[in-house]
Amino acid sequence: MNNKLTEVRRLLALHHEMFRSSIPLIASENVVSYAVREAMISDLGHRYAEGWPGERVYAGCRYIDEIELMTIELMKDLFGAAFADVRPISGVTANLAVFTAFTEPGDVMMALSIAKGGHISMGKKKFGGTAGAVHGLEIEYFEYNDKELNIDVDATIKKIETLISEGRKPKLAYFGGSVILFPHPVKELADYLKSNDIVVAYDAAHVAGLIAGGKFQDPLREGAEIMSMSTHKTFFGPQRGAILASTDEYADRIKKAVFPGVVSNHHLHTLAGLAIAAIEMKVFGKAYAEEVVKTAKKLAEELYNRGLDVLGSEKGFTESHQVLIDVTRYGLGGDIEKLLEKAGIIVNRNLLPWDPSRGLSYTNPGGIRMGVQEMVRIGIDSKHVDAVADYIYRVVVKKEAPEKVREDVKEFRKDFGKIHYSFDRVEDAYKYITLPGAAAGI
Ligand SMILES: *Cc1c(COP(=O)(O)O)cnc(C)c1O
């Protein structure tokens, strides 16, 4: 068995080496600081804390309770919220708790379709989406304007009017998405929705770090009552989730939906990591978010100038961390994703709003989605991103052998890797850390 153990560790080390020498552009990923990592290998990862701080089902939680209460206060402060539940263990779990708190199976919810940027957790039952398949919601889509790359306000109101006249009034309207280049019209729709007793929620999984840094829309100020999120995309946290609310009014239902609804224990090592991430956001979030948006715009512009079909060219390309390109002049998204990976450029293929109508599906769609947040955190920012655009151009447009570009990417990456926007910039983001005891055992 000892050699199996060695094999797992060898694969881990190889994974680290791959990322250490690549350009990370997955829009939903990031790296955490060493302070956050320290929390994640603490004893908290071995403990249970069910319930609310002070009302736990287990003993031994006195310090955990203090950490959780601190995390709640930090998150409320960062997002200007009246209420926070930091127990959901992921973004999907947070969303499922919101569905549970505000709807019954069979109710109607408004959300974006996947092709227009929606997440599968808001998906219909027939697609296996969490909202439909797990909570039994009927999903109706926001009307979307492909040219504006955003929700169409007037058409959406018309659609909801029709739903109301058919006796299918939505209970919940969920803004936010997995592809989100521009702020959603929360302000424009919130009053209308609320006047019809439709709860207004915003899924900030992708943009939480930009919201905390003051560089994207501020949903709770624009009329959203609820905001759910993942804590690890643009935010600095470990993989986890959270639910915030603009008032205390919904506190009891949210708490009950989270526990005992969708979590029992809630992975306390990452809870402590989230506390530290929130502190880092408070200190470094503004400068980080500014640089992320600047870098995304720059990457988009550099790709556009090299002839690539970057979405949103008439609107400044992007206001978030994401850049979206239509690659169909050069191949399909899935094939290009593989080619880029061979070159050490890690992106994901993505459906574009118009893909279903041209017969493309998510297995090999027409788009590539990139997010610059992890790059910025390791120092590849707006000053360096032209080089990244060049590598992408060489693979996608010039069709250079990816193995050749890989060598240049490796060389380029040598200058980057320290974790920026954190208290300790000494450490390498992708170092494979061996603890002394384990190392001695093999
Ligand atoms: C990533 C994402 C989620 C899911 O988050 P996990 O933390 O992976 O569970 C939910 N909603 C949106 C919009 C997302 O992009």
Side-chain angles (χ1 to χ4, degrees):
M1 275 322 204
N2 208 9
N3 54 357
K4 291 215 167 125
L5 184 53
T6 310
E7 180 61 5
V8 175
R9 299 179 91 200
R10 189 182 73 85
L11 294 171
L12 282 169
L14 282 172
H15 173 89
H16 276 250
E17 196 43 47
M18 175 173 81
F19 269 82
R20 187 187 219 165
S21 60
S22 301
I23 297 172
L25 282 164
I26 303 286
S28 57
E29 297 179 350
N30 215 322
V31 284
V32 298
S33 69
Y34 272 48
V36 170
R37 284 171 211 214
E38 189 180 313
M40 290 208 284
I41 56 164
S42 73
D43 180 66
L44 268 64
H46 310 129
R47 301 301 144 206
Y48 258 71
E50 292 184 337
W52 196 254
E55 306 162 11
R56 303 292 195 193
V57 184
Y58 292 99
C61 295
R62 60 191 277 202
Y63 302 114
I64 292 166
D65 281 7
E66 284 194 46
I67 290 170
E68 186 164 327
L69 290 171
M70 258 184 85
T71 314
I72 289 169
E73 289 311 313
L74 285 161
M75 293 294 274
K76 278 163 61 177
D77 174 53
L78 260 184
F79 291 99
F83 170 80
D85 193 323
V86 296
R87 297 173 298 173
I89 53 169
S90 73
V92 168
T93 314
N95 289 349
L96 184 53
V98 174
F99 305 154
T100 306
F102 296 99
T103 64
E104 297 293 329
D107 283 346
V108 175
M109 175 173 85
M110 301 297 298
L112 274 179
S113 73
I114 308 275
K116 315 292 185 190
H119 187 257
I120 188 64
S121 58
M122 315 268 176
K124 296 187 181 197
K125 183 171 180 178
K126 66 175 176 187
F127 302 129
T130 314
V134 181
H135 194 58
L137 291 179
E138 305 275 327
I139 311 303
E140 290 292 340
Y141 297 136
F142 285 115
E143 293 290 336
Y144 191 86
N145 183 324
D146 286 0
K147 196 163 154 25
E148 289 296 316
L149 296 167
N150 214 329
I151 293 167
D152 184 323
V153 173
D154 294 335
T156 293
I157 291 177
K158 228 185 201 166
K159 173 155 186 178
I160 294 174
E161 291 294 316
T162 307
L163 287 168
I164 292 172
S165 73
E166 291 167 350
R168 299 185 66 232
K169 190 175 78 162
K171 278 274 187 61
L172 181 60
Y174 230 128
F175 292 89
S178 300
V179 174
I180 179 158
L181 298 170
F182 303 105
H184 282 171
V186 178
K187 217 174 14 214
E188 291 76 0
L189 279 164
D191 287 344
Y192 168 77
L193 293 166
K194 285 190 224 173
S195 68
N196 282 292
D197 294 322
I198 301 169
V199 175
V200 183
Y202 189 97
D203 182 344
H206 265 269
V207 290
L210 305 180
I211 294 170
K215 273 303 279 186
F216 202 65
Q217 68 186 136
D218 189 354
L220 295 179
R221 243 57 49 207
E222 294 167 13
E225 301 164 278
I226 306 294
M227 185 159 74
S228 57
M229 62 182 64
S230 306
T231 54
H232 47 267
K233 296 184 182 182
T234 53
F235 204 80
F236 289 158
Q239 295 190 335
R240 207 174 163 83
I243 303 169
L244 306 174
S246 61
T247 73
D248 260 334
E249 189 186 335
Y250 302 126
D252 286 342
R253 335 186 187 181
I254 295 171
K255 283 158 77 168
K256 199 166 141 217
V258 174
F259 175 83
V262 297
V263 299
S264 69
N265 184 37
H266 58 282
H267 304 184
L268 307 159
H269 52 319
T270 61
L271 169 71
L274 177 58
I276 294 167
I279 297 165
E280 291 171 346
M281 261 297 155
K282 183 82 184 163
V283 177
F284 305 106
K286 191 165 180 292
Y288 159 78
E290 254 169 48
E291 188 56 39
V292 165
V293 175
K294 189 170 163 194
T295 305
K297 280 181 179 289
K298 186 83 196 300
L299 175 61
E301 195 183 298
E302 295 282 343
L303 290 168
Y304 184 80
N305 291 342
R306 285 167 176 78
L308 281 120
D309 297 322
V310 185
L311 270 62
S313 59
E314 283 150 39
K315 303 183 62 175
F317 301 109
T318 180
E319 297 294 330
S320 74
H321 59 304
Q322 297 183 356
V323 175
L324 212 61
I325 50 181
D326 185 332
V327 292
T328 48
R329 279 203 286 137
Y330 311 104
L332 284 175
D335 304 325
I336 301 261
E337 172 194 287
K338 288 191 188 77
L339 271 181
L340 285 169
E341 184 179 342
K342 274 195 198 149
I345 301 162
I346 315 222
V347 304
N348 73 285
R349 63 184 186 274
N350 222 102
L351 273 176
L352 299 175
W354 40 87
D355 275 355
S357 63
R358 55 180 177 177
L360 297 177
S361 78
Y362 74 92
T363 50
N364 211 349
I368 288 288
R369 182 187 69 166
M370 292 171 281
V372 302
Q373 69 293 334
E374 182 172 346
M375 277 202 322
V376 167
R377 204 147 196 231
I378 60 168
I380 308 173
D381 59 18
S382 56
K383 293 188 290 299
H384 311 285
V385 81
D386 55 331
V388 175
D390 221 48
Y391 297 133
I392 294 169
Y393 165 76
R394 286 169 56 191
V395 175
V396 177
V397 181
K398 300 292 283 181
K399 301 286 183 206
E400 269 188 51
E403 296 77 13
K404 192 166 145 238
V405 178
R406 178 85 186 102
E407 291 312 309
D408 295 343
V409 166
K410 265 188 190 160
E411 198 53 38
F412 169 76
R413 272 292 277 102
K414 283 185 182 155
D415 292 338
F416 306 96
K418 303 273 184 275
I419 305 168
H420 293 55
Y421 307 100
S422 68
F423 293 104
D424 180 357
R425 274 222 229 162
V426 180
E427 300 291 358
D428 178 344
Y430 307 97
K431 187 160 104 183
Y432 178 59
I433 300 168
T434 316
L435 296 180
I442 292 183

